């Protein structure tokens, strides 16, 4: 029988991350022994190991109501469970812009050294995958060049319009390029969502999303075409979609 503790994550505004924690996600808790402000500091990371904040450990961050509702401080949490060479996995039960409330099960932990070794193995495999992706990208570029050469009468390269799609790291489609025809589809952001977005898809897989206004600066910084995705909703895209340039886990430039 393992005890489950409640704790509050604060300082989210100081740690901007690519992968935002949502309700039901699991996060990682590690003692931050080198923290110069708090010797009992417990750092909190998302599943991609981006630092998102710290367990509340002062009167300013842990209010009487928080305590009344069962939340304990980082000092109390370290007193109840052993953080020596361990990292714990906690579930985000309530998520707000300013803080996240967690359930910490003392039985859900991993040995830090083992985790480091696993991460090293994963990184080595990821490097191999990235090398293979670069080869595939080069081959796709060559195929695209040949396709354009054969299709020049129907679809002159000078008539093609270039667009960018971003956020490739959030989708599986970049791993399925070359197996299915590319398409541009407007669909709900997630199941049953009211809002929609415009996606580049390879078969049933999303490759990337057309940039929003917030991504204009990103496109300009990377020197890629920017067209607000919302302005293209309802547009009928005719002709074959070709990837002109791709940076895996970042963006792709397509032409139509």
């Amino acid at each position: 029988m393992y005890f489950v503790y409640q704790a509050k994550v604060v300082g989210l505004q100081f740690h901007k991350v690519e992968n935002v924690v949502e309700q039901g996600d699991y996060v990682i808790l590690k003692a931050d022994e080198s923290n110069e402000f708090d010797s009992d500091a417990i750092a909190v990371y998302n599943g991609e190991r981006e630092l998102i904040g710290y367990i509340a450990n002062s009167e300013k961050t842990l209010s009487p109501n928080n305590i009344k509702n069962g939340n304990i401080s980082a000092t109390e949490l370290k007193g109840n469970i052993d953080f020596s060479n361990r990292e714990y996995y906690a579930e985000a039960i309530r998520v707000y812009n300013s803080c996240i409330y967690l359930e910490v099960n003392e039985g859900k932990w991993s040995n830090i050294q083992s985790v480091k070794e696993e991460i090293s193995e994963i990184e080595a495999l990821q490097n191999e995958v990235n090398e293979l992706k670069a080869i595939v990208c080069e081959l796709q570029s060559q195929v695209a060049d040949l396709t354009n050469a054969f299709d020049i009468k129907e679809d002159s390269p000078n008539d093609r319009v270039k667009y960018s799609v971003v956020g490739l790291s959030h989708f599986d489609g970049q791993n399925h390029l070359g197996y299915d025809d590319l398409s541009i589809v407007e669909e709900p952001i997630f199941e049953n969502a009211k809002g929609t977005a415009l996606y580049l898809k390879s078969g049933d897989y999303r490759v990337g999303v057309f940039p929003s206004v917030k991504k204009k600066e990103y496109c300009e910084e990377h020197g890629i075409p920017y067209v607000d995705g919302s302005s293209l909703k309802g547009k009928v895209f005719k002709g074959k979609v070709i990837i002109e340039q791709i940076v895996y886990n970042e963006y792709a430039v397509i032409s139509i």
Side-chain angles (χ1 to χ4, degrees):
M1 179 69 178
Y2 294 110
F3 285 103
V4 176
Y5 302 96
Q6 293 187 166
K8 176 185 178 184
V9 186
V10 296
L12 274 63
Q13 68 273 27
F14 302 114
H15 306 281
K16 302 302 181 184
V17 297
E18 291 289 331
N19 303 279
V20 178
V21 173
E22 298 179 352
Q23 184 174 325
D25 288 350
Y26 274 84
V27 296
I28 302 165
L29 276 59
K30 291 174 62 177
D32 185 358
E33 306 291 353
S34 61
N35 193 293
E36 59 181 311
F37 303 106
D38 184 359
S39 59
D40 286 331
I42 298 176
V44 183
Y45 302 83
N46 61 20
E48 287 69 28
R49 294 188 176 272
E50 298 174 296
L51 179 64
I52 62 172
Y54 287 84
I55 297 296
N57 203 33
S58 71
E59 293 180 356
K60 291 182 179 180
T61 55
L62 194 64
S63 70
N65 278 338
N66 292 152
I67 297 172
K68 183 179 179 181
N69 290 330
N71 296 283
I72 63 175
S73 66
T75 299
E76 290 176 289
L77 191 57
K78 290 186 73 173
N80 290 332
I81 57 179
D82 182 12
F83 275 86
S84 302
N85 199 35
R86 292 181 177 183
E87 60 181 33
Y88 286 83
Y89 304 97
E91 182 179 0
I93 56 175
R94 295 194 305 280
V95 177
Y96 303 98
N97 291 333
S98 60
C99 64
I100 299 173
Y101 291 94
L102 306 176
E103 282 189 349
V104 187
N105 187 320
E106 65 175 352
K108 294 182 178 180
W109 60 273
S110 294
N111 179 281
I112 290 179
Q113 184 57 39
S114 297
V115 171
K116 287 181 178 179
E117 292 173 358
E118 290 176 4
I119 291 175
S120 295
E121 292 177 2
I122 291 171
E123 289 177 344
L125 289 172
Q126 186 61 53
N127 288 335
E128 292 181 13
V129 170
N130 288 338
E131 291 176 3
L132 291 173
K133 286 180 176 179
I135 294 172
V136 171
C137 180
E138 177 61 27
L139 290 173
Q140 289 173 337
S141 177
Q142 293 178 19
V143 170
D145 289 341
L146 289 171
T147 301
N148 283 338
F150 284 110
D151 292 346
I152 192 165
K153 290 183 179 179
E154 290 183 19
D155 190 8
S156 170
N158 294 328
D159 296 332
R160 298 185 69 81
V161 179
K162 290 186 177 181
Y163 300 95
S164 298
V165 292
V166 297
L168 271 64
S169 63
H170 299 298
F171 306 108
D172 294 332
Q174 63 175 340
N175 300 319
H176 297 270
L177 294 173
Y179 301 101
D180 295 286
D181 289 335
L182 295 171
S183 60
I184 297 171
V185 183
E186 180 182 346
E187 57 188 20
I189 298 172
F190 54 87
E191 188 175 0
N192 297 323
K194 294 181 180 179
T196 63
L198 207 60
Y199 298 95
L200 173 68
K201 300 187 71 173
S202 178
D204 294 328
Y205 297 92
R206 291 179 178 177
V207 178
V209 63
F210 280 67
S212 64
V213 175
K214 293 181 180 179
K215 287 293 185 179
K216 180 178 181 181
E217 185 175 341
Y218 174 89
C219 293
E220 292 174 346
E221 288 177 354
H222 290 80
I224 58 177
Y226 166 75
V227 179
D228 180 13
S230 62
S231 69
L232 298 174
K233 290 181 181 180
K235 175 180 172 62
V236 176
F237 294 90
K238 296 182 179 179
K240 186 172 183 178
V241 180
I242 294 175
I243 291 182
E244 301 285 351
Q245 178 189 2
I246 185 168
V247 177
Y248 283 92
N249 294 319
E250 288 287 343
Y251 63 81
V253 177
I254 63 173
S255 67
I256 306 170

